[in-house]
Amino acid sequence: MPGYFVISLDFELLWGVKDHRTKEDYGENILGARKAIPLMLDLFERKEIHVSWATVGFLFYDKKKELLESFPLVKPEYQNTKLSNYNQLSDLGDDEQSDPYHYGKSLIRLIQSKKCQDIETHTFSHYYCQEPYKKERAFEADIKAAVSAGEGLGVKVKSIVFPRNQVNKEYLQILAENGIIAYRGNPDSYYYNARSQRENTKFKRIVRLLDAYIPLIKISNPSLQEMVPIAPVNIAASRFLRPYSSNLFFLERLKMKRIKREMYQAAVANTIYHLWWHPHNFGKSTNQNIEQLEELLNWYTYLNKQFGMVSASMTEMATQVLNNHKTI
């Protein structure tokens, strides 16, 4: 079996940051993401890259009335009420044209028009699965709403990315019952494990930041044969592609070398390398971010030619794992 290169994107616009950001302090990134997405799609198309767009269900609508009517009856009741996007509707506009921060139907249609792009789920409401007072019934209602939102645009949701990477294995059976065969797990490290906001300490964040530039944490990427063939399959993350930082410009080459070295090791060892980020990470310094992405995709092209590395979406990887098990 060859090595695999997987990309997943957490597509959420303002819904992913509403508990601590506003249009005023983060709106430039959100509007910038709407400009960066077509540029990313152009690169993916030219380089023949398969991508999973894990999309918040709220984005599947372009009118307020339709969005509100899609809400499930059972909603999350977090201890921190700011975490629920159902409590963050005061600035919601009437439609996508007047409110590009909260609606994404036109962008989803654009993604659908491109080859090798899978639209998946980031839950319906950007649901947090490791926060106090979470409820299994609320998560089940959220996933059913996410699946329904996808079906409204002809999308069959097969994979999920847990918001804030709060993977909750207690919920995997709910995913399987709703046709989801893949999820993005976390790297096998204390510093990257599933966590609530309270557990995501400043120290952990600093370690992860440093690890983006220098090899502090050793991450082992599995081969296809080593993956557990039970749906939903864990397509674990390898590396977050941190956006270009003008403040840390002197470290940008180290970041790129770190990712390229890890991609090379995966290609040689025939293992899976899973890169991820948010489209709004490219909302500022867009040109620099696109240039770095193109450099990484060019590197993948080299690894593809030299070692047979293959680009695959999360759903394609899970399908391979499950089918491979059946043939053994």
Side-chain angles (χ1 to χ4, degrees):
M1 295 291 181
Y4 290 90
F5 181 47
V6 179
I7 290 179
S8 59
L9 303 180
D10 300 16
F11 181 27
E12 52 195 37
L13 295 183
L14 198 60
W15 296 114
V17 296
K18 291 204 70 161
D19 59 311
H20 63 285
R21 296 282 196 173
T22 65
K23 291 179 186 177
E24 288 69 34
D25 65 18
Y26 204 68
E28 183 180 349
N29 283 74
I30 301 304
L31 296 181
R34 300 186 74 97
K35 298 177 181 178
I37 286 171
L39 299 176
M40 285 188 274
L41 286 169
D42 178 62
L43 264 181
F44 295 147
E45 191 168 50
R46 286 194 287 112
K47 304 295 182 180
E48 300 182 347
I49 304 296
H50 298 221
V51 179
S52 297
W53 294 77
T55 307
V56 169
F58 283 15
L59 298 182
F60 282 80
Y61 302 89
D62 60 357
K63 290 183 174 57
K64 183 175 183 178
K65 182 176 183 294
E66 294 174 355
L67 173 58
L68 297 182
E69 289 175 348
S70 71
F71 286 177
L73 294 178
V74 184
K75 299 178 178 63
E77 298 177 2
Y78 308 115
Q79 189 175 53
N80 178 2
T81 58
K82 286 185 177 180
L83 293 177
S84 176
N85 279 324
Y86 297 106
N87 299 329
Q88 302 278 7
L89 302 174
S90 60
D91 60 343
L92 179 63
D94 289 331
D95 52 37
E96 187 171 3
Q97 185 173 3
S98 63
D99 184 358
Y101 304 93
H102 292 105
Y103 298 94
K105 187 174 181 178
S106 67
L107 293 172
I108 293 172
R109 288 297 194 197
L110 178 64
I111 297 166
Q112 284 182 299
S113 71
K114 304 297 183 180
K115 294 180 180 178
C116 307
Q117 307 301 298
D118 288 356
I119 297 172
E120 306 293 1
T121 190
H122 199 35
T123 73
F124 185 68
S125 65
H126 205 256
Y127 189 101
Y128 300 108
C129 294
Q130 292 288 357
E131 295 298 333
Y133 293 2
K134 62 188 184 301
K135 289 186 176 181
E136 188 171 301
R137 284 181 62 245
F139 179 74
E140 184 175 17
D142 184 282
I143 291 303
K144 288 184 181 300
V147 171
S148 178
E151 290 174 346
L153 292 185
V155 173
K156 184 70 171 176
V157 171
K158 289 288 189 179
S159 298
I160 186 172
V161 169
F162 288 85
R164 306 272 166 89
N165 296 310
Q166 291 186 9
V167 175
N168 189 331
K169 293 187 178 180
E170 296 175 7
Y171 291 168
L172 296 185
Q173 183 59 37
I174 293 173
L175 299 177
E177 290 170 357
N178 285 276
I180 294 175
I181 65 170
Y183 71 97
R184 190 180 74 205
N186 296 311
D188 186 18
S189 164
Y190 166 77
Y191 297 99
Y192 286 98
N193 61 9
R195 57 203 176 270
S196 66
Q197 286 193 330
R198 183 177 298 177
E199 296 168 321
N200 188 23
T201 63
K202 185 176 182 180
F203 178 70
K204 283 186 176 181
R205 295 196 300 272
I206 290 173
V207 171
R208 292 199 300 270
L209 173 65
L210 293 174
D211 187 51
Y213 303 101
I214 54 178
L216 292 180
I217 303 170
K218 182 175 176 56
I219 301 297
S220 58
N221 298 310
S223 66
L224 187 70
Q225 297 93 325
E226 293 171 329
M227 298 178 72
V228 179
I230 299 174
V233 179
N234 178 12
I235 314 298
S238 304
R239 179 69 55 196
F240 170 54
L241 175 57
R242 290 189 174 272
Y244 176 87
S245 171
S246 57
N247 294 327
L248 299 175
F249 70 92
F250 53 92
L251 293 175
E252 289 298 320
R253 295 318 305 167
L254 287 178
K255 177 187 78 177
M256 296 295 287
K257 284 180 65 176
R258 181 132 171 73
I259 294 173
K260 290 168 78 171
R261 185 183 305 116
E262 290 173 335
M263 290 174 64
Y264 174 83
Q265 291 168 345
V268 171
N270 296 330
T271 57
I272 299 163
Y273 191 77
H274 189 166
L275 192 66
W276 70 277
W277 68 95
H278 310 82
H280 62 69
N281 294 142
F282 283 22
K284 284 187 178 179
S285 302
T286 301
N287 291 338
Q288 292 91 335
N289 282 306
I290 292 295
E291 286 174 5
Q292 289 189 344
L293 177 59
E294 184 166 16
E295 181 179 341
L296 293 175
L297 298 187
N298 286 339
W299 182 239
Y300 158 74
T301 299
Y302 167 78
L303 297 175
N304 168 260
K305 292 178 179 178
Q306 289 293 115
F307 304 102
M309 195 177 209
V310 176
S311 173
S313 69
M314 288 174 59
T315 294
E316 290 168 337
M317 283 303 317
T319 301
Q320 284 248 45
V321 171
L322 297 172
N323 288 343
N324 185 54
H325 177 70
K326 290 178 183 178
T327 60
I328 294 175

